[in-house]
C-alpha cells in the first residue's frame, strides 16, 4: 500500500487533474490530496471514508464531485459519467455527446446515488425508543407516522422523541419517515405496474402530487422517469433475428 500512495502522490504532483472511481477515493484520500475537499465514493463506503479520513468532506449522494483539480466518482459505472465530463471539458459538448451516444449512456445522468441505495441511518441507536421507531417505520411505511402518533406509540413526549431521535439516529423523525417512504415507493415502481396514485398510497405519501414533489426534491427525478429508467431489464424487447 505505501508504494501505491507514494506513486499517486508523485503522479499528482505534475498532473493537470487527478481522478478516482468508487473505492479509489481511499488511496487518494491517504495521500492527503482530498483533505479539505469534497469527495465522492460508492454510497455504501461513504460512512467509512468519512470515518477514516475526517478531513475529507464526503458527499454520499453525488455521482461525481469536482473540487479544484481533484475529481472523485461514486460506483464503478459513475466513472463513465466522470470520464464524459472530462471529454466535454477537453473537446467540447459535441464530442462528449457523440461519445455518450456511442456508449449508449446518458450525457448527464439524472438523480444522485440515493436512488440506487437502501437508506441507512447515519448512526446505530442505543436507545430502545429510537430502535423501536426505526423498526416500526421500516415495517409499515404507510402507517401514521406523524410525530404525535409515533410519540404516543413509544410512550414519550413529542419533545423527548425529537431530542432522542436526532441525537441517536442523526436525522429527524420526519426526515427518516420520508426516506423510508421514498425507498418503499422506489421498490413499487421498480417491481410493479400500479398507477402512481396507488404507489403513493401504498408507500405512505397519500397522494400522487405529494409523491412527485418528494421524489423530485430528494431524488432529482420524477417517479415516472424513475420507473422508466430503473425497472428490471427483463422488460427489454428481444432483438429479432433479422435485425442488425
Amino acid at each position: 500500500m505505501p508504494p501505491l500512495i507514494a506513486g499517486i502522490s508523485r503522479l499528482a504532483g505534475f498532473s493537470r487533474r487527478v481522478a478516482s472511481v468508487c473505492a479509489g477515493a481511499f488511496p487518494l484520500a491517504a495521500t492527503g490530496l482530498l483533505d479539505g475537499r469534497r469527495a465522492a465514493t460508492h454510497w455504501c463506503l461513504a460512512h467509512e471514508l468519512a470515518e477514516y479520513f475526517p478531513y475529507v468532506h464526503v458527499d454520499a449522494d453525488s455521482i461525481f464531485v469536482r473540487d479544484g483539480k481533484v475529481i472523485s466518482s461514486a460506483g464503478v459505472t459513475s466513472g463513465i459519467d466522470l470520464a464524459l465530463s472530462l471529454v466535454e471539458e477537453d473537446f467540447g459538448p459535441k464530442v462528449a455527446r457523440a461519445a455518450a451516444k456511442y456508449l449508449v449512456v446518458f450525457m448527464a445522468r439524472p438523480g444522485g446515488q440515493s436512488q440506487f441505495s437502501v437508506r441507512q441511518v447515519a448512526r446505530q441507536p442505543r436507545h430502545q425508543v429510537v430502535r423501536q421507531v426505526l423498526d416500526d417505520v421500516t415495517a409499515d411505511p404507510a402507517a401514521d407516522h406523524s410525530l404525535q402518533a409515533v410519540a404516543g406509540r413509544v410512550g414519550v413526549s413529542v419533545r423527548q422523541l425529537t431530542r432522542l431521535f436526532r441525537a441517536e439516529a442523526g436525522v429527524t423523525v420526519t426526515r427518516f419517515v420520508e426516506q423510508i417512504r421514498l425507498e418503499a415507493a422506489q421498490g413499487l415502481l421498480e417491481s410493479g405496474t400500479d398507477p402512481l396514485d396507488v404507489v403513493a398510497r401504498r408507500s405512505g405519501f397519500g397522494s400522487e402530487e405529494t409523491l412527485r414533489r418528494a421524489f423530485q426534491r430528494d431524488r432529482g427525478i420524477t417517479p415516472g422517469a424513475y420507473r422508466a429508467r430503473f425497472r428490471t431489464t427483463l422488460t427489454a424487447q428481444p432483438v429479432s433475428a433479422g435485425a442488425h
Side-chain angles (χ1 to χ4, degrees):
M1 194 67 169
L4 173 64
I5 305 305
I8 294 172
S9 298
R10 180 177 58 81
L11 292 170
F14 55 81
S15 298
R16 181 162 59 95
R17 292 176 301 218
V18 181
S20 68
V21 177
C22 196
F26 283 80
L28 188 58
T31 67
L33 286 167
L34 291 178
D35 287 357
R37 299 182 188 269
R38 286 177 61 235
T41 189
H42 193 285
W43 64 268
C44 72
L45 299 172
H47 181 74
E48 189 176 350
L49 182 65
E51 184 177 4
Y52 277 102
F53 302 100
Y55 296 112
V56 179
H57 305 304
V58 180
D59 185 333
D61 188 53
S62 294
I63 297 296
F64 68 91
V65 169
R66 177 189 296 266
D67 192 331
K69 77 169 194 174
V70 183
I71 313 121
S72 51
S73 70
V76 173
T77 58
S78 302
I80 298 174
D81 300 82
L82 186 156
L84 284 172
S85 77
L86 300 182
V87 171
E88 181 174 11
E89 182 179 319
D90 289 347
F91 302 103
K94 185 176 180 180
V95 174
R97 277 194 295 271
K101 183 177 180 180
Y102 184 80
L103 293 171
V104 199
V105 296
F106 290 111
M107 174 73 165
R109 198 189 321 187
Q113 291 194 77
S114 54
Q115 62 192 312
F116 305 108
S117 67
V118 175
R119 180 66 64 177
Q120 296 180 335
V121 177
R123 294 189 288 273
Q124 292 302 316
R126 291 170 294 176
H127 203 287
Q128 176 59 35
V129 164
V130 178
R131 289 200 300 270
Q132 183 179 336
V133 173
L134 296 180
D135 291 343
D136 289 349
V137 174
T138 304
D140 189 4
D144 180 3
H145 296 306
S146 64
L147 279 173
Q148 292 77 10
V150 173
R153 286 198 296 268
V154 295
V156 298
S157 68
V158 169
R159 182 176 180 180
Q160 185 180 5
L161 173 65
T162 301
R163 179 183 59 79
L164 271 176
F165 202 90
R166 182 77 188 205
E168 292 270 326
V171 292
T172 64
V173 175
T174 301
R175 178 61 174 163
F176 179 76
V177 170
E178 183 179 63
Q179 289 300 318
I180 290 297
R181 286 175 172 169
L182 281 167
E183 292 172 8
Q186 285 179 196
L188 292 168
L189 291 168
E190 291 166 7
S191 62
T193 58
D194 288 333
L196 292 182
D197 61 330
V198 175
V199 171
R201 288 196 303 272
R202 290 182 62 191
S203 58
F205 283 103
S207 72
E208 181 178 340
E209 182 56 32
T210 303
L211 170 67
R212 183 177 288 108
R213 285 200 305 267
F215 235 88
Q216 189 71 59
R217 180 179 64 252
D218 196 85
R219 302 306 199 236
I221 188 172
T222 65
Y226 180 91
R227 168 175 272 167
R229 291 189 176 104
F230 302 114
R231 285 194 64 187
T232 172
T233 56
L234 294 178
T235 58
Q237 295 298 313
V239 178
S240 63
H244 296 286

